[in-house]
DNA sequence: TGCAAATATCACCGGTGGGTGACATCTCGC
DNA sequence: GCGAGATGTCACCCACCGGTGATATTTGCA
C-alpha cells in the first residue's frame, strides 16, 4: 500500500482535481495564449477527452477555476486584520493597502485583471465575472458604517485609487516598473504605499 | 485612367502601406490573439508571402507599426495646448488630463498598454518599447522648469496618477466600467477628470 | 521587341489545436 | 461470477497557422 495513492487507480474526483490544478498552472504560467484543451490535458497527464466528459469543455473548466478565486478574498481579508477603523480616511487607507498586498500576492488574479482589458474572449469574460464578484464582496466586507466626507465624489476617487494600485501591481509583476518608477524591491513598494497613504489622507483627512 | 489607382497595378510601396494598415487594423480589432501572417494577409487582400518578402516576417511588421506610434505623441501634444503652466500643480494637472484624453483617443495605444501587462511575447516587447519611448518623450516635453514642492515623493505620486488614469482608460474601453464606476458617457469621464484634479490639487496646491 | 528583374500568386508541407467516436479496462452491485 | 456502467485511452477528422518553393504576370530597360 503506497502512501501516495497509486495514480493508476480510477478515481474521478482525483482526476478532476488534477485537471483543475493543471489548468490553473497553465493559465498562470503560459497565460491565456497557451491555454487549451491539449495543453491542460498534457499537463494533467490525462486524456483531453476527460476534460470534455467532466467539465463540458474549457468553459466549464474556467468556471471551476473561477470558483477558487472566491477563496482569494477570504484569505486576503483574513490577512488584512479585523480591527474596525475609526474614520473614513482610515478605512480607505486600509482598503487600498490591503488590496495592494492581496493583489501582489496572487499571480493568477493579477493575470485575470490584465486579461480583462487585453483580451475579449468568452473565457476571459467568465473569469472576469468571478473576479468582479469577489471584488464586490471585498468592498462590502470592508465597508463599515462609515460615510465619506460631504462634497467629495468618493466612488470616483476610490475607483481612481484602486485603479492606480491595480495598475502598479500589474506592471510591477510584468515589467518591474511603471513610468520610470521601479517596482521590485520592498523599498520600491514602500514608496508606493506612502504615496497612496498621502493621497488618501489629503483627500479624506485634510 | 481611374483617379483611384487600379489595385491591379503593381506598386510595392502601395502594397507595403496596405499591409501595414491591415496589420494595424487586425491588431486594434482582433487583438494580439488573432494577429498572424495569415490574418494580416487576408485583410490586406494580398498573399502572405509578401509580408515575408517586404518585412521579413511579423517582427519587421511590428517594427513598422511601432514607428507610427511616435506620431501619436506629436498629435496628442499638439492637441494639449502649449501655454506654459505657472505652477507645478497646474503642470501636473494638465499632464494628467492630457494623458487621459490622448490615451482614450487611441485604441491601438490602449491595446499596447494592456498587452504589456498581459502577454509576454517578443512581439509585444517590441511594441511596448516603442510606446515607452513615446511616453518618455511626452514626459520630457511636458516638464518645464518647474519643480515639485519639497517633502513630496513626486515621482511616486505622479506614477500613481498616471497609473490610475491609464487603468481607467483601459477598463473604460474594454468593459465600460471599473470597480463599479461607469466609464461610458461624457459625464462619467467628467467625474474622473474632477477626481483627478481634486487629487492633484490636494497634493500640490494644498 | 525581347528579355530579365520585380512583383504577386499559388500549392504545398509540417505542426498544432479543438472536437468526437470507438475501444479498453476497471468497479461495483446483483 | 458476471454484467453494466463508470473511468480512462486511442485514433482520427477537420481547420488553421507559420513558413517555403515554384510559378505566373507585369514592368522597365536595353
Amino acid at each position: 500500500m503506497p502512501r501516495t495513492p497509486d495514480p493508476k487507480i480510477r478515481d474521478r474526483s482525483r482526476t478532476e482535481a488534477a485537471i483543475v490544478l493543471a489548468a490553473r498552472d497553465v493559465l498562470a504560467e503560459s497565460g491565456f495564449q497557451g491555454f487549451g484543451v491539449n495543453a491542460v490535458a498534457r499537463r494533467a497527464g490525462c486524456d483531453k477527452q476527460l476534460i470534455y466528459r467532466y467539465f463540458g469543455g474549457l468553459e466549464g473548466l474556467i468556471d471551476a477555476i473561477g470558483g477558487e478565486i472566491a477563496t482569494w478574498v477570504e484569505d486576503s481579508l483574513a490577512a488584512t486584520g479585523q480591527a474596525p477603523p475609526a474614520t473614513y480616511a482610515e478605512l480607505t487607507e486600509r482598503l487600498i493597502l490591503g488590496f495592494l498586498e492581496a493583489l501582489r500576492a496572487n499571480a493568477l488574479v493579477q493575470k485575470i485583471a490584465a486579461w480583462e482589458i487585453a483580451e475579449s474572449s468568452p473565457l476571459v469574460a467568465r473569469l472576469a465575472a468571478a473576479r468582479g464578484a469577489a471584488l464586490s464582496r471585498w468592498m462590502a466586507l470592508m465597508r463599515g458604517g462609515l460615510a465619506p466626507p460631504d462634497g467629495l465624489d468618493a466612488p470616483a476617487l476610490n475607483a481612481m485609487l484602486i485603479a492606480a494600485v491595480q495598475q502598479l501591481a500589474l506592471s510591477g509583476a510584468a515589467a518591474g516598473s511603471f513610468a520610470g518608477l521601479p517596482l521590485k524591491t520592498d523599498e520600491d513598494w514602500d514608496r508606493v504605499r506612502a504615496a497612496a497613504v498621502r493621497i488618501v489622507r489629503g483627500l479624506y483627512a485634510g
Side-chain angles (χ1 to χ4, degrees), chain A residues 59-167:
Chain A
E59 291 200 355
L61 191 48
I62 284 289
D63 289 341
I65 294 176
E68 299 196 347
I69 295 180
T71 67
W72 171 65
V73 177
E74 313 301 332
D75 298 348
S76 304
L77 282 176
T80 302
Q82 306 290 2
T87 66
Y88 190 81
E90 191 181 331
L91 166 68
T92 307
E93 182 177 318
R94 193 183 304 177
L95 172 68
I96 297 297
L97 294 182
F99 181 72
L100 173 61
E101 298 314 313
L103 191 52
R104 284 223 300 141
N106 191 312
L108 182 57
V109 175
Q110 289 172 26
K111 297 254 186 184
I112 295 172
W115 294 329
E116 284 182 37
I117 53 177
E119 328 235 0
S120 56
S121 81
L123 264 37
V124 171
R126 283 172 176 261
L127 270 183
R131 195 185 79 98
L135 268 204
S136 302
R137 180 114 187 285
W138 169 283
M139 299 289 188
L141 285 180
M142 284 295 288
R143 183 166 38 225
L146 297 171
D150 281 348
L152 286 181
D153 188 357
L157 291 167
N158 289 338
M160 285 204 71
L161 289 167
I162 293 285
V165 162
Q166 175 167 319
Q167 179 67 48

Side-chain angles (χ1 to χ4, degrees), chain A residues 20-35 40 43 62 65 106-112 115 127 173:
Chain A
V20 171
L21 182 63
R24 242 184 130 280
D25 289 348
V26 169
L27 266 185
E29 286 178 15
S30 312
F32 223 84
Q33 194 80 0
F35 185 69
V40 171
R43 177 109 184 190
I62 284 289
I65 294 176
N106 191 312
L108 182 57
V109 175
Q110 289 172 26
K111 297 254 186 184
I112 295 172
W115 294 329
L127 270 183

